[in-house]
Amino acid sequence: MANEGSSPVERAISFVMRLVVSLLLPGWGVAMILLGLLDGSGWWVVTGLTVLAIGVVLFAGSSLISPILGGRRFS
């Protein structure tokens, strides 16, 4: 629906922006894990694992990834 009447360039930019935004949370989780491992801080590692888990769930439910996983089609 959001892509109706838009050019291929606009659709490509929309796709890339949605992909980047949906990868931000898992990326921050990985960064927190690395910070915890480098600093030797268990709190950062556990918090990073939690953020990563939530980010992966949200990433898998995004409209870009769910068709690949067998969910609803991207419109």
Side-chain angles (χ1 to χ4, degrees):
M1 289 186 152
N3 289 329
E4 289 180 20
S6 57
S7 71
V9 174
E10 290 172 335
R11 282 189 295 235
I13 292 172
S14 174
F15 178 83
V16 170
M17 289 299 294
R18 285 192 248 179
L19 187 61
V20 167
V21 168
S22 62
L23 286 174
L24 283 176
L25 196 58
W28 177 240
V30 170
M32 291 173 73
I33 293 169
L34 291 175
L35 284 171
L37 292 175
L38 292 175
D39 192 37
S41 176
W43 171 254
W44 278 94
V45 174
V46 173
T47 305
L49 287 171
T50 305
V51 170
L52 179 64
I54 292 169
V56 166
V57 168
L58 293 175
F59 180 70
S62 76
S63 63
L64 300 175
I65 302 304
S66 56
I68 296 170
L69 299 175
R72 60 185 168 81
R73 298 287 308 163
F74 176 73
S75 55

